[in-house]
Amino acid sequence: MSPAVPPVRPARPSAGPPGRGRHPGAAEPGAAPAAPSGPLALLHTSSAHIPVFDALRDQEHEGLGLRHHVEEGLLARARRDGPAAVADDVRTVLRRAVDAGARAVLCTCSTLGAVAERTGAAVPVLRVDRPMAAAAVAAGPRVVVLATVASTLGPTVALIEEEARLAGRAVEVRTRLVADAWDLFAAGDTGGCARLVADAADAVTEADAIVLAQASMTPAQDLVGTAVPVLSSPRLGLAAAAAAVRRQTPSEHSRARSGGSAPPPSAVGR
């Protein structure tokens, strides 16, 4: 069984009325942030991811400022018209995040990850599932991808195959869509969604790794009984993004030599 994600605390909402389809604690497109932007911006398509990443930050990356941008409509449109149809909107969201001070951006939506990576932003843009894909390739050649949204399967398979080519390894990827799980998640029944995903994982045979294609599927890791490694993206993805922030952040020594001062810590999303 994979390590459990720690208990989470909901993000404290920022001041001001929320926009349609956005979490009260998330950034409002086009509006000035209520507090200094964190060095890491996260692009979500569900507000349910905010407490998950805040908890991981508190447990493993203390002091890392986070700024959450929730754009639920992007996933709906990408599912209907394809990820390329929302590329311009993704680019706009990322530009606003960079303008607000982000030193790196983490896209937590697997459907939009490839689009986000190709936006040409002025800071590193990472997709949350790339480290997970690399770990799956390292586990062995037989990889099974589980998803609750069909639009995620293609991008995830392509990513795993890309990581296999980069590693010089052969890989065989099989996929399975977990029927009805997304409807439960969208209705707020995250426990029911997790149970369906865990049952699907336990039914997998002849695999070296099972990939949970979406960050929203992570709670299923605590419910599986299979001996096959079950991989999810939030912990690995946030660790990679935190490393990118460190590479982009001037050291205290460098700031002292240049006469600059350290930026104030961000409280957004806390």
Side-chain angles (χ1 to χ4, degrees):
M1 184 177 296
S2 302
V5 173
V8 299
R9 300 191 302 271
R12 192 182 308 162
S14 59
R20 179 176 300 176
R22 296 182 176 89
H23 187 272
E28 187 75 5
S37 177
L40 176 64
L42 295 92
L43 171 58
H44 308 294
T45 52
S46 171
S47 60
H49 298 323
I50 292 177
V52 172
F53 283 91
D54 279 348
L56 285 172
R57 182 270 314 278
D58 291 346
Q59 181 187 40
E60 301 180 4
H61 306 284
E62 185 177 357
L64 175 66
L66 303 181
R67 178 73 178 175
H68 299 286
H69 300 259
V70 181
E71 298 289 340
E72 296 177 358
L74 292 180
L75 178 58
R77 289 173 52 207
R79 292 178 64 187
R80 183 183 67 241
D81 304 324
V86 299
D88 287 343
D89 294 303
V90 170
R91 188 175 294 108
T92 297
V93 173
L94 298 192
R95 184 174 64 248
R96 287 172 176 158
V98 173
D99 290 346
R103 296 189 179 102
V105 180
L106 179 65
C107 177
T108 67
C109 177
S110 297
T111 297
L112 302 181
V115 170
E117 280 188 325
R118 296 194 295 263
T119 55
V123 301
V125 177
L126 299 85
R127 54 187 298 177
V128 71
D129 50 353
R130 185 173 288 281
M132 175 182 65
V137 169
R142 302 172 302 172
V143 178
V144 174
V145 175
L146 302 182
T148 63
V149 175
S151 62
T152 301
L153 289 172
T156 303
V157 171
L159 177 62
I160 293 170
E161 291 175 343
E162 178 186 344
E163 287 295 323
R165 289 193 298 271
L166 292 172
R169 294 173 177 262
V171 66
E172 175 190 352
V173 185
R174 297 166 11 230
T175 64
R176 178 177 175 185
L177 183 66
V178 185
D180 301 324
W182 177 257
D183 290 339
L184 291 176
F185 178 81
D189 186 0
T190 55
C193 174
R195 285 189 293 272
L196 287 181
V197 172
D199 289 345
D202 286 339
V204 170
T205 59
E206 299 182 354
D208 297 304
I210 298 171
V211 167
L212 304 182
Q214 296 142 242
S216 57
M217 302 167 73
T218 300
Q221 284 184 299
D222 295 332
L223 305 177
V224 297
T226 180
V228 179
V230 178
L231 307 176
S232 67
S233 59
R235 176 172 274 108
L236 296 174
L238 185 61
V245 168
R246 288 194 297 271
R247 290 192 294 269
Q248 295 291 312
T249 303
S251 66
E252 294 291 342
H253 178 66
S254 297
R255 282 193 293 264
R257 291 184 61 185
S258 65
S261 58
S266 172
V268 176
R270 293 296 301 273

